[in-house]
């Protein structure tokens, strides 16, 4: 029964992830990432993000729920490239346009060259 609930939850997350609206599809020869590298406000944009440690108390979970956690993590890892493909297309083709590590980090955070905190501004 618990496994069925987790499967249902994982399926719901997958459905929600695939239903997300995308800002736009990349055009052939799109140089948006290259333009980002020269953006004067890139440092300001990156200062709006911070890394946080996320922890959870799993002591209240049953043993079967704890065994399910790695399965859910693997499902999330499988969904990550799918989301990339939906939001932009090929992650590697986008990232390979940029040499600046800060811009690459910005692209990874936003799953593309659009600033999710700024109404998907390029």
């Amino acid at each position: 029964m618990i496994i069925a609930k987790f499967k249902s939850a994982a399926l719901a997350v997958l459905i929600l992830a695939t239903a997300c609206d995308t800002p736009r599809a990349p055009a052939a020869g799109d140089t948006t990432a290259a333009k980002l590298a020269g953006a004067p406000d890139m440092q300001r944009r990156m200062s709006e993000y911070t890394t946080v440690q996320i922890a959870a108390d799993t002591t209240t979970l049953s043993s079967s729920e704890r065994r399910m956690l790695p399965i859910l993590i693997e499902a999330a890892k499988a969904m990550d490239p799918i989301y990339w493909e939906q939001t932009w297309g090929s992650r590697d083709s986008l990232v390979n346009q940029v040499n600046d590590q800060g811009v690459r980090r910005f692209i990874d955070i936003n799953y593309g060259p659009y600033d999710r905190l700024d109404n998907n501004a390029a």
Side-chain angles (χ1 to χ4, degrees):
M1 174 115 166
I2 292 174
I3 292 175
K5 287 181 184 178
F6 278 109
K7 283 183 180 179
S8 296
L11 180 59
V13 168
L14 181 61
I15 290 169
L16 286 173
T18 58
C20 292
D21 190 23
T22 58
R24 72 167 179 88
D30 194 323
T31 60
T32 306
K35 290 176 188 172
L36 268 178
D41 64 341
M42 181 52 61
Q43 191 170 14
R44 178 198 55 81
R45 286 182 177 192
M46 285 302 296
S47 72
E48 295 175 0
Y49 296 92
T50 189
T51 302
V52 295
Q53 184 71 28
I54 299 176
D57 178 9
T58 60
T59 59
T60 60
L61 298 177
S62 69
S63 62
S64 61
E65 289 171 329
R66 275 190 234 115
R67 285 193 311 269
M68 182 58 76
L69 289 176
I71 296 168
L72 292 173
I73 291 168
E74 287 303 311
K77 287 178 182 177
M79 289 171 30
D80 194 61
I82 295 168
Y83 185 70
W84 252 108
E85 194 68 31
Q86 289 179 327
T87 58
W88 176 258
S90 171
R91 176 197 174 277
D92 292 339
S93 67
L94 176 63
V95 170
N96 290 338
Q97 295 179 38
V98 179
N99 293 325
D100 184 289
Q101 291 302 317
V103 175
R104 284 183 179 208
R105 180 72 181 127
F106 177 86
I107 289 170
D108 279 336
I109 290 169
N110 287 283
Y111 284 77
Y114 300 103
D115 192 340
R116 307 271 181 207
L117 295 180
D118 190 15
N119 226 6
N120 290 323

